[in-house]
Each structure stands twice: as structure tokens, then as C-alpha cells.
Amino acid sequence: MNDCLFCKIVAKEIPCNEVLENDDFLAFRDIDPQAPVHVLVIPKKHFEDITELTQGDSSLTSGFMEFVSQTAKLEKLDKGFRIVLNTGPDGGQSVQHVHAHVLGGRGLTWPPG
Ligand code: DGP
């Protein structure tokens, strides 16, 4: 996708602070961290949101969650963490390339705003 910010990060046209990468997924630090650990996990292939990702190859969906878990393990979030998938305007999604926020390193409050 030509105009997608996260596709440009995948293509290395825009730099990121990378945490983990494999053939299908990339994890990198959020530019505006909301917790001591705040990592974004994305599939390299463009899907607008989680609903579009889950309509595709199911192995990519399960691989996505496995990669999220690997990222949390790498970040040593042994005491727990939160996975957030903001979706659509009501969900507060600002970048239209599916991404999981992995947040941790402090106690997180509930409910979210
Ligand atoms: P969301 O609001 O759920 O769509 O989250 C988008 C996140 O993307 C937000 O937390 C800030 C982050 N972000 C936006 N632009 C950049 C960027 O250029 N680099 C990085 N690393 N993160 C970005």
C-alpha cells in the first residue's frame, strides 16, 4: 500500500526502533509510548484491521498472536501485559494497518477510556 505509514516502516522507507522480525511480522517500539514497554506488532502484508486479517489466511492470524507472545516474552513481561487492537473510528484506530499494541512494565488500569 503506497500511502500506508506501517507499510513504509516494513519497507524501511521510514525508520523504526525494531524489537523482533521474521518473514511475516515486525515488532517495533511505539513512537508515543503509554507504558514502560509499548511495542507495536504488525503483519508485513497490509490488512486494514483485525477483521480483514481474520478473513484471510488463518495461519497468518494464529502466527500474529504467536508473534505477539514472543514479543512479550522477549520484553520480559513476566508479570503480565495488555494486548490492544484498536479497530475503526470508535476503537480509536489512527493507522489503517492492523497492529497490536503490547503494553506492560507497570500495572495497567481498567477500564480504558
Ligand atoms: P492506533 O491509534 O491504535 O492506530 O495506534 C497507532 C500507533 O502508532 C500510535 O500509538 C502511535 C504509533 N505511531 C504513529 N506513527 C508512528 C511512527 O512513525 N513510528 C512509530 N514507531 N509509531 C508510530
Side-chain angles (χ1 to χ4, degrees):
M1 262 237 168
N2 286 345
D3 257 359
C4 171
L5 174 66
F6 288 174
C7 284
K8 287 181 181 167
I9 287 178
V10 169
K12 306 207 185 298
E13 291 168 19
I14 294 174
C16 73
N17 193 342
E18 187 181 312
V19 172
L20 189 63
E21 182 177 21
N22 70 13
D23 287 347
D24 294 323
F25 306 105
L26 176 66
F28 56 97
R29 300 201 188 280
D30 195 290
I31 205 167
D32 181 22
Q34 302 300 314
V37 174
H38 187 170
V39 177
L40 300 174
V41 176
I42 64 171
K44 291 184 172 177
K45 188 174 171 190
H46 184 89
F47 297 91
E48 184 165 319
D49 60 23
I50 190 66
T51 65
E52 195 175 282
L53 174 65
T54 53
Q55 282 165 23
D57 180 354
S58 62
S59 68
L60 202 61
T61 304
S62 58
F64 184 54
M65 296 316 291
E66 280 171 30
F67 196 81
V68 164
S69 293
Q70 284 170 21
T71 301
K73 192 168 182 186
L74 190 67
E75 291 294 298
K76 302 189 176 15
L77 297 176
D78 313 332
K79 289 175 72 182
F81 56 93
R82 185 170 296 164
I83 303 164
V84 176
L85 286 151
N86 293 329
T87 305
D90 276 4
Q93 183 177 5
S94 62
V95 178
Q96 312 311 315
H97 181 132
V98 63
H99 51 282
H101 297 256
V102 180
L103 296 145
R106 65 169 168 85
L108 298 164
T109 56
W110 190 264

